[in-house]
Amino acid sequence: MEIDWTALLVSLGLLGAAAALAVLEVFVVSFGLLLIAAVACAVGSIRYAFDAHEAVGWTSVVIIPVAALYVARWGFVRIRASRSAVPKSEIVADAGYRHLAERLAVGPGSEGVLVTPARPIGRARFAGGECDVQVHGPVLEAGAEVVVERIDGPIIFVNQAPS
């Protein structure tokens, strides 16, 4: 039995398409559709390889899965080395919202001085440092003494300090 060169060329073309789609799967987010197309091309390549010659078909049955493992390994190494695809930092138990007020030891009752006018948002200086505040009351000018009324999420509400 002689080799059918047309079937062999179709088999090699499908194998090339399978390799290109598998490599493209690493770079394009397709939710596995490119990988499914690559597997279909690889199966078609094996089918045409058997049409070309039985020995070529069995050779492709052995070589194609091994080549697929190497392409998959290369893709996983590339994804793991990517800075954008895989987060490198670790999420630990104390992860969550951290407020600047905690670092500056600012809480309800803390006193400070406005650095900028607060109409209604401004900046105030406390013993631990400066942070943005929101006036809960009338507009205050820079230099006004304020006291922290409450902290609601990221917002520090202040009022004018009693004289």
Side-chain angles (χ1 to χ4, degrees):
M1 184 172 173
E2 195 172 307
I3 293 179
D4 181 0
W5 292 101
T6 306
L8 182 62
L9 288 175
V10 170
S11 174
L12 291 175
L14 285 172
L15 185 59
L21 289 170
V23 169
L24 191 60
E25 175 69 28
V26 175
F27 298 106
V28 177
V29 178
S30 71
F31 303 106
L33 293 177
L34 290 173
L35 186 61
I36 291 169
V39 169
C41 285
V43 169
S45 173
I46 291 172
R47 186 230 179 265
Y48 278 100
F50 274 106
D51 284 350
H53 194 274
E54 189 174 345
V56 175
W58 285 112
T59 303
S60 66
V61 165
V62 172
I63 291 176
I64 289 175
V66 172
L69 288 175
Y70 278 107
V71 169
R73 183 176 180 273
W74 170 82
F76 286 132
V77 168
R78 175 143 173 76
I79 288 172
R80 193 171 1 136
S82 170
R83 290 182 183 265
S84 61
V86 179
K88 303 293 186 223
S89 58
E90 171 182 340
I91 299 175
V92 294
D94 70 344
Y97 185 75
R98 296 282 179 239
H99 197 278
L100 178 63
E102 290 177 13
R103 269 193 313 203
L104 300 178
V106 173
S110 297
E111 295 184 0
V113 177
L114 284 176
V115 178
T116 64
R119 298 182 183 146
I121 298 173
R123 191 157 183 85
R125 179 176 297 120
F126 295 95
E130 291 184 7
C131 60
D132 293 329
V133 296
Q134 183 171 342
V135 174
H136 196 248
V139 173
L140 298 176
E141 296 300 322
E145 293 184 10
V146 293
V147 63
V148 175
E149 183 180 283
R150 75 179 198 277
I151 299 175
D152 186 13
I155 304 170
I156 302 172
F157 288 99
V158 296
N159 265 331
Q160 187 167 12
S163 302

